[in-house]
Amino acid sequence: MIRVLHIFYEMANGGIEHFVMNYYRHIDRSKVQFDFLVSVETSGPFDDEIKSLGGKIYHAYPLKKNPIKNFFDIAHIVQKNGYSIVHRHTGSAFGYYELRAAKRGGAKRLILHAHNNSAGNPLLHYICKWVLPIKCEKLACSRAAGIWLFGQNQSVHLIGNAIECEKFRFSEDVRNAVRAEFSIQNKLVIGHVGRFENQKNHKRLLKIFKQLTTKTSQECVLICVGSGSLKEEVEREAVLLGIREQVLFLGARTDINRLMQIFDVFVLPSLYEGFPIVLVEAQTSGLPCVVSNFVPEECNVSGNVRFCQLESLDEVWAETIIKSSQLPINRDSYAEKMKQAGFDIAKCAEYLCKYYQGAEN
């Protein structure tokens, strides 16, 4: 059995972490086992599940306390436990830092996996892109993410943000039942799933929603799912905009598949994205989606994704959302379409297993 060490800064409750956990749950663990290394002291929301699946979790010396100690601690963990394959998931070129440490620890296969088409700290990204690169295998969630991290003419393996498509298949019965739970049976429901961090642009989402409420006579509700450092700040913004009673902040949830059923339109005004897994989930549920132009066009798998310029007026966004909500869509047909497009986790996990074994290099 091969043991692969996956490196994150932290195993939080974000899209990249969900991506890896989806694969971990479905990969043949008699052939490939996942272990995890993080550079924070705190535990994560997936720790118990990881351990139940046979994985190990290592906490390197905290990066923010001392980067040099962190580097040598990563190298020590890799060497002590004999890891040959190290897989770093990243949104920026800083990911090369941990791979250099892994190489020092004796890892033979270094994998850098691009998950975004921009970075939270662009200056650090560009510095690291020129200073830190080493020879490694290049993976990406999308062509745009691969070009962003590795450049235009690099050979990059695309690993799809696959999900359990059947789990997200639209059901009218589930829709009616969950809508009744929230008492929103006859409302126009706008949905958003994402961590409350700058990337997801929640304050802009609120402004768009406020404009939407003035554009339609239908009663509207915005449902925001997720946690994060900006959640309380965004909630205060909803109060200032006078829409707090129309916005439901549900926090982190484990039933995203059920919640996707009750939305009428999924909205994602992100500042940057690689290939958001929530957009795969939304399309599999047959939802029309309105997203920013900083979401790669290749994410429009279903044909139901409308792109809005981020600099467009809130009014334009609101009108696009209303038009999208009126599209005649047979929602229960899209789970099959997404499977055929290559987003079924069972097949993708089989491919990744072969990749680690060297059969798909």
Side-chain angles (χ1 to χ4, degrees):
M1 180 181 67
I2 299 170
R3 297 197 81 98
V4 179
L5 183 65
H6 291 265
I7 297 183
F8 290 82
Y9 170 68
E10 62 178 332
M11 273 298 286
N13 194 28
I16 301 174
E17 292 84 358
H18 278 279
F19 161 86
V20 174
M21 290 304 297
N22 276 343
Y23 274 89
Y24 188 24
R25 295 174 189 122
H26 292 88
I27 205 163
D28 186 342
R29 292 188 296 279
S30 69
K31 297 178 180 177
V32 176
Q33 177 59 250
F34 287 6
D35 295 327
F36 296 82
L37 183 150
V38 297
S39 292
V40 295
E41 296 171 305
T42 55
S43 59
F46 297 110
D47 286 9
D48 289 341
E49 183 180 4
I50 288 170
K51 292 173 183 176
S52 73
L53 295 174
K56 300 175 184 177
I57 304 169
Y58 304 98
H59 292 263
Y61 192 88
L63 176 67
K64 290 185 177 180
K65 287 186 177 181
N66 190 320
I68 303 302
K69 283 189 176 181
N70 172 263
F71 181 92
F72 285 103
D73 204 14
I74 292 172
H76 174 71
I77 291 169
V78 171
Q79 183 180 47
K80 180 181 178 181
N81 296 281
Y83 286 104
S84 178
I85 304 175
V86 175
H87 190 156
R88 173 57 162 117
H89 300 269
T90 185
S92 80
F94 186 75
Y96 285 116
Y97 173 85
E98 289 92 346
L99 290 190
R100 281 185 171 273
K103 182 179 181 181
R104 185 179 182 88
K108 303 302 182 187
R109 289 182 62 187
L110 307 174
I111 302 170
L112 192 61
H113 196 147
H115 287 275
N116 268 319
N117 61 5
S118 188
N121 188 332
L123 178 60
L124 179 64
H125 165 76
Y126 284 114
I127 292 172
C128 293
K129 191 170 183 178
W130 293 110
V131 174
L132 294 181
I134 58 173
K135 185 177 180 181
C136 63
E137 298 171 33
K138 302 173 178 65
L139 303 184
C141 64
S142 66
R143 287 186 294 274
I147 292 171
W148 156 258
L149 185 56
F150 303 116
Q152 186 73 244
N153 300 313
Q154 297 295 310
S155 177
V156 179
H157 286 274
L158 295 183
I159 303 293
N161 284 358
I163 63 171
E164 292 181 73
C165 291
E166 280 304 318
K167 188 176 176 181
F168 286 85
R169 183 183 291 275
F170 178 74
S171 165
E172 191 71 42
D173 290 340
V174 173
R175 175 181 170 86
N176 292 336
V178 181
R179 277 186 162 234
E181 289 178 20
F182 289 101
S183 299
I184 53 173
Q185 289 92 327
N186 300 312
K187 297 180 180 180
L188 175 63
V189 180
I190 309 305
H192 174 87
V193 180
R195 282 177 57 77
F196 282 79
E197 306 297 345
N198 285 326
Q199 175 189 359
K200 301 301 180 180
N201 209 7
H202 284 90
K203 289 186 178 180
R204 180 68 191 284
L205 175 63
L206 295 181
K207 292 176 182 178
I208 292 167
F209 178 72
K210 181 174 182 179
Q211 186 64 230
L212 174 69
T213 62
T214 69
K215 290 284 182 182
T216 177
S217 58
Q218 191 172 358
E219 194 173 356
C220 305
V221 62
L222 171 64
I223 295 181
C224 292
V225 184
S227 59
S229 65
L230 299 179
K231 185 171 182 289
E232 291 184 3
E233 184 178 328
V234 174
E235 289 179 354
R236 289 194 295 270
E237 184 71 12
V239 174
L240 293 174
L241 290 171
I243 57 173
R244 184 62 184 87
E245 296 302 315
Q246 295 163 278
V247 184
L248 300 180
F249 294 97
L250 302 187
R253 303 276 296 214
T254 59
D255 59 345
I256 303 300
N257 58 313
R258 297 175 74 245
L259 296 175
M260 287 290 182
Q261 313 294 312
I262 68 176
F263 301 160
D264 293 304
V265 183
F266 184 81
V267 181
L268 195 67
S270 299
L271 300 178
Y272 56 91
E273 292 284 357
F275 200 127
I277 197 164
V278 292
L279 196 52
V280 176
E281 294 167 347
Q283 290 180 87
T284 304
S285 296
L287 276 168
C289 305
V290 178
V291 306
S292 81
N293 59 302
F294 289 97
V295 174
E297 290 189 11
E298 63 194 282
C299 296
N300 184 11
V301 181
S302 66
N304 293 331
V305 179
R306 302 291 178 267
F307 295 89
C308 267
Q309 296 293 314
L310 203 55
E311 62 268 23
S312 294
L313 297 174
D314 298 336
E315 180 180 7
V316 173
W317 276 79
E319 290 172 352
T320 304
I321 292 169
I322 291 170
K323 290 178 182 177
S324 296
S325 72
Q326 297 168 344
L327 293 173
I329 297 175
N330 177 21
R331 290 183 60 176
D332 64 4
S333 67
Y334 282 89
E336 199 59 44
K337 290 182 180 180
M338 296 299 283
K339 282 184 185 180
Q340 293 173 1
F343 289 90
D344 178 61
I345 188 62
K347 291 184 178 179
C348 290
E350 183 179 350
Y351 173 88
L352 186 61
C353 185
K354 291 179 180 178
Y355 179 84
Y356 289 135
Q357 292 174 314
E360 298 290 345
N361 286 1

